[in-house]
Amino acid sequence: MTDNTFGKLFSFTSFGESHGLAIGCVVDGVPPKVKLQEADIQPYLDRRKPGQNRFVTQRSEADQVEILSGVFEGMTTGTPICLLIKNTDQRSKDYGDIATQFRPGHADFTYTEKYGIRDYRGGGRSSARETAVRVAAGAIADIILTRILGTSFKIQASIVQIGPHKISSDRFDASEINNNPFFCADAQTALIWADYLDDVRKQGSSAGAIIEVVATGVPSGIGQPLYAKLDSEIASAMMSINAVKAVEIGAGFSLSEIAGEIAGDEMQMANGKPEFLSNNAGGILGGISSGAPITARIAIKPTSSILTTRKSIDTSGKNIELRTKGRHDPCVGIRGVPVVEAMMACVLLDLMMRHHAQTTILPEANS
Amino acid sequence: MTDNTFGKLFSFTSFGESHGLAIGCVVDGVPPKVKLQEADIQPYLDRRKPGQNRFVTQRSEADQVEILSGVFEGMTTGTPICLLIKNTDQRSKDYGDIATQFRPGHADFTYTEKYGIRDYRGGGRSSARETAVRVAAGAIADIILTRILGTSFKIQASIVQIGPHKISSDRFDASEINNNPFFCADAQTALIWADYLDDVRKQGSSAGAIIEVVATGVPSGIGQPLYAKLDSEIASAMMSINAVKAVEIGAGFSLSEIAGEIAGDEMQMANGKPEFLSNNAGGILGGISSGAPITARIAIKPTSSILTTRKSIDTSGKNIELRTKGRHDPCVGIRGVPVVEAMMACVLLDLMMRHHAQTTILPEANS
Amino acid sequence: MTDNTFGKLFSFTSFGESHGLAIGCVVDGVPPKVKLQEADIQPYLDRRKPGQNRFVTQRSEADQVEILSGVFEGMTTGTPICLLIKNTDQRSKDYGDIATQFRPGHADFTYTEKYGIRDYRGGGRSSARETAVRVAAGAIADIILTRILGTSFKIQASIVQIGPHKISSDRFDASEINNNPFFCADAQTALIWADYLDDVRKQGSSAGAIIEVVATGVPSGIGQPLYAKLDSEIASAMMSINAVKAVEIGAGFSLSEIAGEIAGDEMQMANGKPEFLSNNAGGILGGISSGAPITARIAIKPTSSILTTRKSIDTSGKNIELRTKGRHDPCVGIRGVPVVEAMMACVLLDLMMRHHAQTTILPEANS
Amino acid sequence: MTDNTFGKLFSFTSFGESHGLAIGCVVDGVPPKVKLQEADIQPYLDRRKPGQNRFVTQRSEADQVEILSGVFEGMTTGTPICLLIKNTDQRSKDYGDIATQFRPGHADFTYTEKYGIRDYRGGGRSSARETAVRVAAGAIADIILTRILGTSFKIQASIVQIGPHKISSDRFDASEINNNPFFCADAQTALIWADYLDDVRKQGSSAGAIIEVVATGVPSGIGQPLYAKLDSEIASAMMSINAVKAVEIGAGFSLSEIAGEIAGDEMQMANGKPEFLSNNAGGILGGISSGAPITARIAIKPTSSILTTRKSIDTSGKNIELRTKGRHDPCVGIRGVPVVEAMMACVLLDLMMRHHAQTTILPEANS
């Protein structure tokens, strides 16, 4: 099944397991004559890279991307671009009982139920390692979107909650996001999270998180009604990321409690252009972008690999108690930030191309 | 664009506008030799039908479904099934200023931005009327799933919150759901909602809602990693429904606040079968069903058509004040319940067929 | 399966059986603001309509198309267009033994093998009646292509051979094509075919045909390498038409006998524009249009329903002899001409939109 | 665009250029628990490998396939399989005027027209080198099909014509096919072709060919009406191969000259099973396999790279004369034989999975 392909016009097809030889993807639909080399993609991967501080997994991966095709003399040619990231730190010597035991919260049980076989090394295909591929593909999407939309276009994600600790919205300062290990828009909240996660790790526990993403500079008209709505495609993209269990657009769940006369964002003209007086819709009406910033929030569950002993079963159907060993992120949500940005870029470019195909093919708009 | 098609192996392609001649869909991938006639589909549509009580729109539509193809002598033939629902109560005489004014919260503005033209009669394509088509297609999916999985299979949605009023989980009684106009699992809560919505309507306002859906009897193994995960497909399906702005699977957003050792559902053997001791994952691990009930919650924004005056602009770029006239649901969430069930059925059947294709094509499982 | 959908960006999803209530399709991806009404589509259907002369089936069908959605005040809105053609002359009273007997050359046996059930009335879904749907969808494609490309664009098919009688290429006069019942580009050859087919019918036999189609005014650059090549998509489209068993592009099979220095079409500048000195490639190099006319030839087998007694088996596995009764075309190829044109239009528009999406999305071509 | 993906349920996504770092593909939809290692795929590639005799290009490529993912301990896991073939003999030093000149019969001109840029080294993406990828993917399909269908299943292609020299059908001996450099089913004809091609090469010319492919042991029921017919999918697959310009199924073009009572294959029971008395339909009726051998014939144009001087233009729009230098196949059709077999295997497995999904999902066939 092409169920490892994301997108229709701008798409990528992903492959690879955590401890196999390599992970990578084939990016298709890239417009020709875009300047592109490995050095353009690498900074996106570096943001996601493990081993950069004590709050993310200590697995040491270079995450060096190689372009195998589709680029000629530093320019895209319109043909598919294969991106390869070799697995260097596989440490595949000792997997202990992982082959026969199902870790709670992991995909061990369900992969086995589905396929009757699983590559248990480091979680195999279900490992968050695969998200490096998304970041690489998303980098290309982001580069192209910036070419199309200019510098007013920007996708920025940040963590707004870890465990019970939320960032206060009045302290949100986007310029802080890249100044701390948490992609946190408030230096003070970052300190609270640091203390909290140190505790969590000492207790052999883990924490969940909420990521907020905002895309500014997206023109109106993007999104296909009714089944490839911009909301639908964002929700699908985000839910396809490991450990994500909830997505909301704009005011999201809180819309269930707001009165209709507040929920529907009013409009007025400002400097000759339509402006929304609020953004409960998260920049999307009827599945189509309105020109207001696209906003979404994503919940990521706590890392399932923890040092606490838990009840489970093994492949022979016996009850067991198990404790996950090894290096793990106390909060996988943190490294999710560049992944969320990447998936948003892929969704937006794909839908822009679909919109463009249908609405600009006629030489003049009126017959 | 085939952006009006939902599903890959079991799919439906939708068409029609609120006040056009008809709405309908072409259902493809239906297995042959399934007993099917209009009377099998009609009860599903009757649950969604408007005009049944004072809490839903008073538009009077028969919503009578016709099967135009794909069924022969009361049996499906494997060829595409066209389902047609004629629009009878179109009342298209007077649309007033709707052609030139953008109603807050509606798709009026974005359709115009996208296409440069819109069928403004009753919201055109963006009207919730289109959801009747989904219910009809979902009926076929539900009938087939029941044939495959037997009577232990059931999809049941209900409203768990309207405005600020939540149903208490300890009062949840599934047998109550069809006994009140709100698909509410508690008779007492239903009374509270009735009072609340009477107030809302008197004030010319509207209310949002949260729908919960549970699918029981779904076998393990359903869902395609990594991009057609069961979570992704559910999220995409639900977000494609009008007015939906948030989706969570299992414990969803609350997973961001729960410690790792609680979040990951423990397992034990029970009567020789694996059993989960909790269901924070909503029956899905690594994108694949685990055998536990599939659970999701969906937020629906308040009806955008309200009798309160609001600020907006018109097609000529002038600031205006407008008030939506006509018959409208004070809470569109209510009629969303059968739609949510229908979309869940379509997702499950589609993914079951994809799973089946890949994992049972070999004569024996081991080489 | 969405295996009843043709096309990706411009697509149609077909439904209906020969003797059901109606046939039709949902056309998706139509650009907005194209003037369109039933009267624009009807002339295309009228060319294909049965019962117009003694060389095609005497079934009398009005083939009146209805637009059910996607058009508002005479303009397309960008939403899906449902086209409906009711079956009026079904004559479904007496099907004799057709329910239990497999007619040689028909799909009776294979539909039964595949689905275990078949709608045997008039061939059900496998009837050439479905091609009316293609002509209706193709009409919309042709109208849009003409809007985009202007009057230099034209798709014209004609019959170039019936049974053993070929039209001489030096007598080919395109202006004759619509002057005779055979879409023949030579009046004299048409007379020969008339005599030949009268004989064929008297003998209770039938004849095959070859259709040639030429699309002029197609710009260079259309076609996606490597798997959605223009050659591939044309071949697939043509082979999806009933009774078609062969397709060749340009010089086709004869290229196997031509020397390389003749086969590869030379180029020279003419009036400042590239010109091909021959067209063995049929206007397609590397799967992409070159600007030269797109040419293809399609073989259609003789009508399988004939009055001659033939050997077969029945559903109980007994040997039988059978003779097809009823009204049938002595040469189904004739009515195939508008169908071939329609499929060519759908292929070209779909691929143009795909090309447009990828290559014009960047504001300027060079970075 | 995912236009570099072939197939829906069993699919492969291809990448790579002739003189880039590597070519390869991602194979998706592979059933789990199939024994697979590089040594299983390599023999298929070895049959296609250049440099094996004087009738194919002297480029020397190891064509060594590497499995990067999707296989664990020698078994497929159900996750995508990345196959990589490094380009070793790139000889990319001197391309002379190829960057600015359009070779007749090549894709140089059309890639430039489409993308405004092309990787001119060895034809870039349009090189026949990409067909190695198809052979590798097809190997996996063939291995799985053999697992499903047993040893009665076999796909065999052979050359039946080179230039004007056809193999006589009464001399066809399948056991000869792998005994000569031409995949020729008759040793004597092979000698004629050897002489003929030696002449062709001496004259700096090239020759076309016709390949015939037969798939035996394919069950009835495979193929999706009406737009993913087995005929359509075969035609599309074959036309997607470099230099292919014509495809016919069964009696193909000759059906236009055969009378209806001969064209439609009669049936009789033989040993309790249905048997066709002829096979003009090439094993496909109504787009669905009948159980008879699937037969097709494919025309391949003469190699476009020839040593004869020809007229063309360059990128600046000047008339030129050019002669292709370097190592080339005098008849590219020869190496096409394993490619045709590979594409047939991919088509059959993909359609078998689609058929399987729809028709075996119900526990019992009758309700």
Side-chain angles (χ1 to χ4, degrees):
Chain A
M1 321 240 169
T2 46
D3 289 329
N4 289 284
T5 298
F6 184 84
K8 292 194 182 171
L9 294 193
F10 176 85
S11 72
F12 65 92
T13 300
S14 157
F15 64 86
E17 283 86 32
S18 178
H19 287 56
L21 294 172
I23 57 173
C25 65
V26 183
V27 185
D28 209 352
V30 178
K33 298 178 79 176
V34 176
K35 275 185 189 164
L36 187 74
Q37 52 186 346
E38 279 119 356
D40 297 320
I41 301 171
Q42 197 59 47
Y44 292 81
L45 279 164
D46 291 345
R47 284 187 82 208
R48 194 212 71 104
K49 204 163 63 173
Q52 304 196 109
N53 60 64
R54 72 181 187 278
F55 305 107
V56 295
T57 177
Q58 291 312 298
R59 172 171 177 166
S60 144
E61 280 290 357
D63 275 2
Q64 207 71 37
V65 69
E66 291 172 71
I67 297 175
L68 295 190
S69 65
V71 173
F72 179 59
E73 297 181 342
M75 299 272 268
T76 61
T77 59
T79 62
I81 297 175
C82 181
L83 301 174
L84 196 76
I85 302 169
K86 286 183 187 132
N87 290 326
T88 52
D89 179 15
Q90 302 166 19
R91 287 210 205 164
S92 36
K93 327 131 206 190
D94 178 23
Y95 293 102
D97 297 325
I98 202 174
T100 57
Q101 298 190 340
F102 299 126
R103 295 165 298 166
H106 274 283
D108 301 345
F109 177 69
T110 52
Y111 270 69
T112 304
E113 289 283 296
K114 183 177 187 69
Y115 295 122
I117 181 176
R118 79 189 146 96
D119 179 348
Y120 49 77
R121 301 167 304 164
R125 181 82 180 136
S126 73
S127 164
R129 172 134 192 77
E130 189 267 349
T131 58
V133 164
R134 300 168 185 245
V135 171
I140 295 179
D142 192 58
I143 288 163
I144 296 167
L145 283 166
T146 305
R147 275 284 308 282
I148 299 171
L149 300 172
T151 49
S152 69
F153 167 75
K154 186 169 183 58
I155 297 173
Q156 184 146 55
S158 64
I159 307 262
V160 295
Q161 182 173 345
I162 290 185
H165 302 290
K166 302 182 193 184
I167 182 174
S168 162
S169 62
D170 58 358
R171 296 192 58 86
F172 193 99
D173 174 4
S175 67
E176 273 298 320
I177 291 174
N178 291 315
N179 292 344
N180 59 74
F182 304 107
F183 301 106
C184 179
D186 174 37
Q188 198 173 305
T189 305
L191 294 175
I192 297 170
W193 292 349
D195 284 348
Y196 175 71
L197 286 182
D198 278 335
D199 270 2
V200 161
R201 197 177 37 218
K202 275 173 212 156
Q203 292 161 24
S205 182
S206 62
I210 295 180
I211 297 173
E212 189 172 277
V213 60
V214 180
T216 46
V218 178
S220 61
I222 310 307
Q224 298 298 113
L226 291 176
Y227 294 90
K229 286 181 170 182
L230 183 45
D231 320 68
S232 287
E233 301 278 301
I234 290 173
S236 174
M238 298 307 163
M239 282 282 195
S240 79
I241 302 171
N242 305 49
V244 171
K245 283 303 215 184
V247 181
E248 59 184 7
I249 308 291
F253 274 104
S254 71
L255 281 164
S256 60
E257 306 196 4
I258 297 175
E261 62 273 22
I262 295 168
D265 305 306
E266 293 184 302
M267 299 180 77
Q268 291 288 268
M269 297 303 289
N271 303 319
K273 295 174 67 179
E275 198 179 74
F276 289 88
L277 306 186
S278 57
N279 194 13
N280 291 315
I284 311 173
L285 288 167
I288 301 167
S289 65
S290 68
I294 313 290
T295 67
R297 286 157 51 94
I298 297 104
I300 301 200
K301 67 180 186 183
T303 315
S304 297
S305 302
I306 50 175
L307 297 173
T308 304
T309 302
R310 309 215 58 214
K311 293 181 185 169
S312 189
I313 61 173
D314 65 14
T315 51
S316 70
K318 282 194 202 113
N319 287 339
I320 57 169
E321 304 228 316
L322 69 80
R323 227 171 63 102
T324 318
K325 291 158 213 153
R327 342 151 260 189
H328 299 288
D329 299 23
C331 175
V332 281
I334 300 170
R335 287 207 289 141
V337 167
V339 184
V340 162
E341 290 173 347
M343 294 308 289
M344 180 63 90
C346 291
V347 165
L348 288 174
L349 179 54
D350 187 31
L351 286 176
M352 275 196 73
M353 290 176 76
R354 286 147 88 177
H355 173 66
H356 181 74
Q358 188 179 12
T359 62
T360 70
I361 188 93
L362 286 188
E364 359 113 47
N366 32 47
S367 51
Chain B
M1 322 239 166
T2 46
D3 290 328
N4 289 285
T5 298
F6 185 84
K8 291 195 183 170
L9 293 193
F10 176 84
S11 73
F12 65 93
T13 300
S14 157
F15 64 86
E17 283 86 31
S18 177
H19 288 58
L21 294 172
I23 56 173
C25 65
V26 183
V27 185
D28 209 353
V30 178
K33 298 178 80 175
V34 176
K35 276 186 189 165
L36 187 74
Q37 52 186 347
E38 278 120 355
D40 297 320
I41 301 171
Q42 197 59 48
Y44 292 81
L45 279 165
D46 291 345
R47 284 186 83 208
R48 195 211 70 102
K49 204 162 64 175
Q52 304 195 107
N53 60 64
R54 72 180 186 280
F55 303 107
V56 294
T57 177
Q58 292 311 299
R59 173 172 175 162
S60 144
E61 279 291 358
D63 274 2
Q64 206 72 37
V65 68
E66 292 172 71
I67 297 175
L68 295 190
S69 66
V71 173
F72 179 58
E73 296 181 345
M75 299 272 267
T76 61
T77 60
T79 61
I81 298 175
C82 181
L83 301 174
L84 196 76
I85 302 169
K86 286 181 187 133
N87 290 327
T88 52
D89 179 16
Q90 304 165 19
R91 287 211 206 165
S92 34
K93 325 127 207 194
D94 177 25
Y95 292 101
D97 297 325
I98 203 174
T100 57
Q101 299 190 338
F102 299 128
R103 296 165 298 166
H106 274 282
D108 301 345
F109 177 69
T110 52
Y111 270 67
T112 304
E113 289 283 296
K114 184 177 187 69
Y115 295 122
I117 181 176
R118 79 189 146 97
D119 179 348
Y120 50 76
R121 300 167 304 164
R125 181 80 180 137
S126 73
S127 164
R129 172 130 193 79
E130 190 267 350
T131 58
V133 163
R134 300 167 186 246
V135 171
I140 295 179
D142 191 60
I143 288 164
I144 296 168
L145 283 166
T146 306
R147 276 284 308 279
I148 298 171
L149 300 172
T151 49
S152 70
F153 167 75
K154 188 170 181 57
I155 297 173
Q156 183 147 54
S158 64
I159 307 263
V160 294
Q161 182 172 346
I162 290 184
H165 302 289
K166 302 183 192 184
I167 182 174
S168 163
S169 63
D170 60 357
R171 296 193 57 86
F172 193 98
D173 174 5
S175 67
E176 273 298 320
I177 291 173
N178 291 315
N179 292 344
N180 58 73
F182 304 106
F183 301 107
C184 180
D186 173 37
Q188 198 172 306
T189 305
L191 294 176
I192 296 169
W193 292 350
D195 283 349
Y196 175 71
L197 286 182
D198 278 336
D199 270 1
V200 161
R201 198 177 36 218
K202 275 174 213 155
Q203 292 160 24
S205 182
S206 62
I210 295 179
I211 297 174
E212 189 173 276
V213 60
V214 181
T216 46
V218 178
S220 60
I222 310 306
Q224 299 297 114
L226 293 174
Y227 295 90
K229 285 182 170 182
L230 184 43
D231 320 69
S232 286
E233 302 277 301
I234 290 173
S236 174
M238 298 308 164
M239 282 282 194
S240 80
I241 301 171
N242 305 49
V244 170
K245 283 303 213 183
V247 181
E248 57 184 8
I249 308 291
F253 273 103
S254 70
L255 281 164
S256 60
E257 307 196 3
I258 297 175
E261 61 272 21
I262 295 168
D265 306 305
E266 293 185 301
M267 299 180 77
Q268 290 287 269
M269 297 303 290
N271 304 319
K273 296 173 68 179
E275 199 179 73
F276 289 88
L277 306 186
S278 56
N279 195 14
N280 291 315
I284 311 173
L285 288 167
I288 301 168
S289 65
S290 68
I294 313 289
T295 66
R297 287 156 51 94
I298 296 104
I300 300 198
K301 68 179 184 182
T303 315
S304 297
S305 302
I306 50 175
L307 297 175
T308 304
T309 302
R310 309 215 60 216
K311 291 180 187 170
S312 189
I313 61 172
D314 65 14
T315 50
S316 70
K318 284 196 202 110
N319 287 339
I320 55 167
E321 304 229 316
L322 69 79
R323 228 171 63 103
T324 319
K325 291 158 212 153
R327 346 150 256 191
H328 298 289
D329 298 25
C331 175
V332 281
I334 300 170
R335 287 206 290 142
V337 166
V339 184
V340 163
E341 290 174 348
M343 293 308 290
M344 179 64 90
C346 291
V347 165
L348 289 174
L349 180 55
D350 187 31
L351 285 176
M352 276 196 74
M353 289 175 76
R354 285 148 87 176
H355 173 66
H356 181 73
Q358 187 179 12
T359 62
T360 70
I361 188 95
L362 285 188
E364 359 113 46
N366 33 47
S367 51
Chain C
M1 321 240 166
T2 46
D3 290 328
N4 289 285
T5 298
F6 185 85
K8 292 193 182 170
L9 293 192
F10 176 84
S11 72
F12 65 93
T13 300
S14 156
F15 64 87
E17 283 87 30
S18 177
H19 288 57
L21 294 173
I23 57 174
C25 65
V26 183
V27 184
D28 209 352
V30 178
K33 298 178 80 175
V34 176
K35 275 185 189 165
L36 187 73
Q37 50 187 346
E38 279 119 355
D40 297 321
I41 301 171
Q42 197 60 47
Y44 291 82
L45 280 164
D46 290 346
R47 283 187 83 207
R48 196 210 70 103
K49 205 163 63 174
Q52 304 195 110
N53 59 64
R54 73 182 186 277
F55 304 107
V56 295
T57 177
Q58 292 311 299
R59 171 171 176 165
S60 145
E61 280 290 357
D63 275 1
Q64 206 72 37
V65 68
E66 292 172 72
I67 297 175
L68 296 190
S69 66
V71 174
F72 180 58
E73 296 180 343
M75 299 272 268
T76 61
T77 61
T79 62
I81 298 175
C82 180
L83 301 175
L84 196 76
I85 302 169
K86 285 181 189 134
N87 290 326
T88 53
D89 179 16
Q90 303 166 20
R91 289 212 203 164
S92 35
K93 324 131 206 192
D94 177 23
Y95 291 102
D97 297 326
I98 202 173
T100 56
Q101 298 190 339
F102 300 129
R103 295 165 299 165
H106 275 281
D108 301 346
F109 176 69
T110 52
Y111 270 68
T112 304
E113 288 283 296
K114 184 177 187 68
Y115 296 123
I117 180 176
R118 79 188 145 97
D119 178 347
Y120 50 76
R121 300 167 303 164
R125 180 80 180 139
S126 73
S127 164
R129 171 132 193 78
E130 191 267 349
T131 58
V133 163
R134 300 167 185 245
V135 172
I140 295 178
D142 192 59
I143 288 164
I144 296 167
L145 284 166
T146 305
R147 275 285 306 280
I148 299 171
L149 300 172
T151 48
S152 68
F153 167 74
K154 187 170 182 58
I155 297 173
Q156 182 147 56
S158 64
I159 306 262
V160 295
Q161 181 173 346
I162 290 184
H165 303 289
K166 302 182 193 183
I167 183 174
S168 164
S169 62
D170 59 358
R171 297 191 57 86
F172 192 98
D173 174 4
S175 67
E176 274 297 321
I177 291 173
N178 291 314
N179 291 344
N180 59 74
F182 304 108
F183 302 106
C184 180
D186 174 36
Q188 198 173 306
T189 305
L191 294 175
I192 296 170
W193 292 349
D195 283 349
Y196 175 71
L197 286 181
D198 279 334
D199 271 1
V200 161
R201 197 177 37 219
K202 274 173 213 154
Q203 292 160 26
S205 183
S206 61
I210 295 179
I211 297 174
E212 189 172 277
V213 60
V214 181
T216 46
V218 178
S220 60
I222 310 306
Q224 299 297 113
L226 292 176
Y227 295 91
K229 286 182 169 182
L230 184 44
D231 320 68
S232 286
E233 301 277 302
I234 290 173
S236 174
M238 298 307 163
M239 281 284 194
S240 79
I241 302 171
N242 305 50
V244 170
K245 284 302 213 182
V247 181
E248 58 184 7
I249 308 291
F253 274 103
S254 71
L255 281 164
S256 60
E257 307 196 2
I258 297 175
E261 62 272 22
I262 296 168
D265 305 306
E266 293 184 301
M267 298 180 78
Q268 290 288 268
M269 297 304 289
N271 304 320
K273 296 173 69 179
E275 199 180 72
F276 289 88
L277 305 186
S278 57
N279 195 14
N280 290 316
I284 311 173
L285 288 167
I288 300 168
S289 65
S290 68
I294 313 289
T295 66
R297 286 157 51 95
I298 297 106
I300 301 198
K301 67 180 185 183
T303 317
S304 297
S305 302
I306 49 176
L307 297 174
T308 304
T309 302
R310 309 215 58 214
K311 291 182 186 168
S312 189
I313 61 173
D314 65 14
T315 50
S316 70
K318 282 195 202 112
N319 287 338
I320 57 167
E321 304 228 316
L322 69 80
R323 227 171 64 103
T324 317
K325 291 158 212 154
R327 341 151 263 189
H328 298 288
D329 299 24
C331 175
V332 281
I334 300 170
R335 286 205 292 142
V337 166
V339 184
V340 162
E341 291 173 348
M343 294 307 290
M344 180 63 90
C346 291
V347 165
L348 288 174
L349 179 55
D350 187 32
L351 286 176
M352 275 196 74
M353 289 176 76
R354 287 148 86 176
H355 173 66
H356 181 73
Q358 187 180 11
T359 62
T360 70
I361 188 92
L362 286 188
E364 359 113 46
N366 34 46
S367 52
Chain D
M1 321 240 166
T2 46
D3 290 328
N4 289 285
T5 298
F6 184 84
K8 291 194 182 169
L9 294 192
F10 176 85
S11 72
F12 65 92
T13 300
S14 158
F15 65 86
E17 283 86 31
S18 177
H19 287 58
L21 294 173
I23 56 173
C25 65
V26 183
V27 184
D28 209 352
V30 178
K33 298 178 81 176
V34 175
K35 275 186 190 163
L36 188 75
Q37 51 186 347
E38 278 120 354
D40 297 320
I41 301 171
Q42 197 60 49
Y44 292 83
L45 279 164
D46 291 346
R47 283 187 84 208
R48 195 210 71 103
K49 204 163 63 176
Q52 304 195 109
N53 59 64
R54 73 182 185 278
F55 304 107
V56 295
T57 176
Q58 291 311 298
R59 171 171 177 164
S60 144
E61 280 290 358
D63 275 2
Q64 207 71 37
V65 68
E66 292 172 71
I67 297 175
L68 295 190
S69 66
V71 173
F72 180 57
E73 296 180 345
M75 299 272 267
T76 61
T77 60
T79 61
I81 298 175
C82 180
L83 302 174
L84 196 76
I85 302 169
K86 286 181 187 133
N87 289 327
T88 53
D89 179 16
Q90 302 165 19
R91 287 210 204 166
S92 36
K93 332 141 202 183
D94 177 24
Y95 293 101
D97 298 325
I98 203 173
T100 56
Q101 297 191 337
F102 300 128
R103 296 165 298 166
H106 274 282
D108 301 344
F109 176 69
T110 53
Y111 270 69
T112 304
E113 289 283 296
K114 184 178 187 69
Y115 296 123
I117 181 176
R118 80 190 146 96
D119 179 347
Y120 50 77
R121 300 167 304 164
R125 180 81 180 137
S126 74
S127 164
R129 172 132 192 79
E130 189 267 350
T131 58
V133 164
R134 301 167 185 245
V135 171
I140 295 179
D142 192 58
I143 288 163
I144 296 167
L145 283 166
T146 305
R147 275 284 307 281
I148 299 171
L149 299 173
T151 49
S152 69
F153 167 76
K154 187 170 181 58
I155 296 173
Q156 183 147 55
S158 64
I159 307 262
V160 295
Q161 182 172 347
I162 291 184
H165 303 288
K166 302 182 193 184
I167 182 174
S168 163
S169 63
D170 59 359
R171 296 192 56 87
F172 193 98
D173 174 4
S175 67
E176 274 297 320
I177 291 173
N178 291 315
N179 292 344
N180 58 74
F182 304 107
F183 302 106
C184 180
D186 173 37
Q188 197 173 308
T189 305
L191 294 176
I192 297 169
W193 292 349
D195 284 348
Y196 175 72
L197 286 181
D198 278 335
D199 270 1
V200 162
R201 198 178 36 217
K202 275 173 214 154
Q203 291 160 24
S205 182
S206 62
I210 295 180
I211 297 174
E212 188 173 276
V213 59
V214 180
T216 47
V218 178
S220 61
I222 310 307
Q224 299 296 114
L226 292 177
Y227 294 91
K229 287 182 169 182
L230 184 44
D231 320 69
S232 287
E233 301 277 302
I234 291 173
S236 173
M238 298 307 163
M239 281 283 195
S240 79
I241 302 171
N242 305 48
V244 170
K245 283 303 215 182
V247 181
E248 58 183 8
I249 309 291
F253 274 103
S254 72
L255 281 164
S256 60
E257 306 196 3
I258 298 174
E261 62 273 20
I262 294 168
D265 306 306
E266 294 185 301
M267 299 181 76
Q268 290 288 268
M269 297 303 289
N271 304 319
K273 296 174 68 179
E275 199 179 73
F276 289 88
L277 306 186
S278 56
N279 194 14
N280 291 316
I284 310 173
L285 288 167
I288 302 167
S289 65
S290 68
I294 313 290
T295 67
R297 286 156 53 94
I298 297 104
I300 301 199
K301 67 180 184 182
T303 316
S304 298
S305 301
I306 50 175
L307 297 173
T308 304
T309 302
R310 309 214 60 215
K311 292 181 187 167
S312 189
I313 62 173
D314 65 16
T315 51
S316 70
K318 283 194 202 114
N319 287 339
I320 56 168
E321 303 228 317
L322 69 80
R323 227 171 63 103
T324 318
K325 291 157 212 153
R327 347 150 257 191
H328 298 289
D329 299 24
C331 175
V332 282
I334 299 170
R335 286 206 291 142
V337 166
V339 184
V340 162
E341 290 173 349
M343 294 307 291
M344 180 63 90
C346 290
V347 165
L348 288 174
L349 179 55
D350 187 32
L351 286 176
M352 276 196 73
M353 289 175 76
R354 286 148 88 176
H355 173 66
H356 181 74
Q358 186 179 12
T359 62
T360 70
I361 189 92
L362 286 188
E364 0 114 44
N366 33 47
S367 52

